[in-house]
Amino acid sequence: MWLLWPRGQERASLSAGGSVRVVAVSPDGVLIAAAGEDKVIRVWDAGATTTKFALEGHAGKVFGLAFSPDSKTLCSCGDDRTVRLWDAATGTPGAVITASDATVECVAFAPDGKTLASAGSDHIVRLWTVPDGKPIRTLKGHTRRIHALVFADSKTLASAGEDGGVRLWNWPTGALIGQLPVEKHRVHALTVSADGKVLAAAATGGPRWWTLADKSERPKVTSAGGTRAVAFDRDGKFLATGHEDGAVKLWSALDGAEVKTLTGHRGAVFGVGFTPDGKTLVSAGSDGTVKLWDVPVK
């Protein structure tokens, strides 16, 4: 049985300007960052309701955010075809990478924090050094726009988008090592469990997840279409999803049973994430808010 205490209630709502396309929580749990259509990246101290920084520099919509594993660097990307690095403690801008001649939709740090991946509308995954942004290699194989990236471990990178599946790469060598089918659905986001064993995708037809060791798909969760965001908590208890109808759902990461539906957003939810202690779920969406929720405990 699940004892819903706290009862999955909204604890705070932060104003984030225009429609928010992405939200990120620093691995140390100190900072929350969000960005979207107004080109500005807003950063809050976790638990605060006033903005710590408003980072300006992008000339178009911001689609992707990622903190480095040590929480010292924030990376952003967007419609202006750039990838930008920022000092997470001070907001000082760092390297600006002209990633391609196309929109950059997603970024992710490798576990060691020394490599950065980016991808977008040109169908190519690019790898860069951190902090100087020098190119390492490109990974080619996608045939349509890429929306999501996540490093599963020190050798495996997952990418997905509009071409009906998740691709797995040995990123140090650039070799394609597997594909996970998602039929004809788009994948908007990817996440991996803290132990690196389970990969989950936010697909238009609903959440999907796989055991990476043998690439087998786990039993599908209860039908929940229009999924735009997905995240695991660090302890492996919950999978959170954000949906086009404004709902945020919590699922048991053990068997896929629905635990709670959180309502409060007045538009599509494009980003979700957990604080490291697992007590707070963060969500963001087209209504221009970042919401903090108390997470049910087992």
Side-chain angles (χ1 to χ4, degrees), residues 116-176:
L116 179 73
S118 68
S121 62
D122 65 356
H123 318 162
I124 299 172
V125 179
R126 289 177 165 82
L127 300 175
W128 314 88
T129 60
V130 177
D132 50 4
K134 293 182 179 179
I136 300 173
R137 66 178 51 86
T138 59
L139 309 179
K140 297 181 179 180
H142 282 281
T143 59
R144 298 187 68 182
R145 185 185 297 261
I146 301 169
H147 292 303
L149 293 166
V150 67
F151 284 88
D153 54 41
S154 62
K155 293 184 178 180
T156 307
L157 171 67
S159 60
E162 298 186 1
D163 53 2
V166 180
R167 284 168 170 76
L168 302 176
W169 310 86
N170 180 317
W171 62 267
T173 66
L176 181 66

Side-chain angles (χ1 to χ4, degrees), residues 76-148:
S76 59
C77 66
D79 204 28
D80 62 358
R81 306 173 183 178
T82 66
V83 173
R84 296 172 182 265
L85 299 178
W86 311 82
D87 185 305
T90 66
T92 303
V96 178
I97 305 167
T98 302
S100 72
D101 292 329
T103 296
V104 187
E105 300 207 6
C106 48
V107 287
F109 281 95
D112 64 3
K114 297 179 180 179
T115 302
L116 179 73
S118 68
S121 62
D122 65 356
H123 318 162
I124 299 172
V125 179
R126 289 177 165 82
L127 300 175
W128 314 88
T129 60
V130 177
D132 50 4
K134 293 182 179 179
I136 300 173
R137 66 178 51 86
T138 59
L139 309 179
K140 297 181 179 180
H142 282 281
T143 59
R144 298 187 68 182
R145 185 185 297 261
I146 301 169
H147 292 303

Side-chain angles (χ1 to χ4, degrees), residues 159-244:
S159 60
E162 298 186 1
D163 53 2
V166 180
R167 284 168 170 76
L168 302 176
W169 310 86
N170 180 317
W171 62 267
T173 66
L176 181 66
I177 57 174
Q179 296 189 57
L180 307 173
V182 193
E183 292 86 32
K184 298 180 180 180
H185 297 296
R186 294 180 180 181
V187 174
H188 292 283
L190 294 169
T191 187
V192 68
S193 58
D195 59 11
K197 294 181 178 180
V198 181
L199 175 73
T204 52
R208 306 284 289 274
W209 52 352
W210 299 265
T211 300
L212 284 173
D214 60 5
K215 301 181 179 61
S216 61
E217 184 166 7
R218 304 183 73 181
K220 293 181 181 179
V221 301
T222 305
S223 178
T227 316
R228 299 300 298 259
V230 65
F232 278 112
D233 75 328
R234 185 170 291 185
D235 292 337
K237 294 179 181 178
F238 294 109
L239 177 71
T241 54
H243 298 265
E244 292 176 354

Side-chain angles (χ1 to χ4, degrees), residues 49-61:
T49 57
T50 57
T51 306
K52 182 176 185 178
F53 309 129
L55 307 179
E56 299 184 24
H58 281 284
K61 299 174 184 178

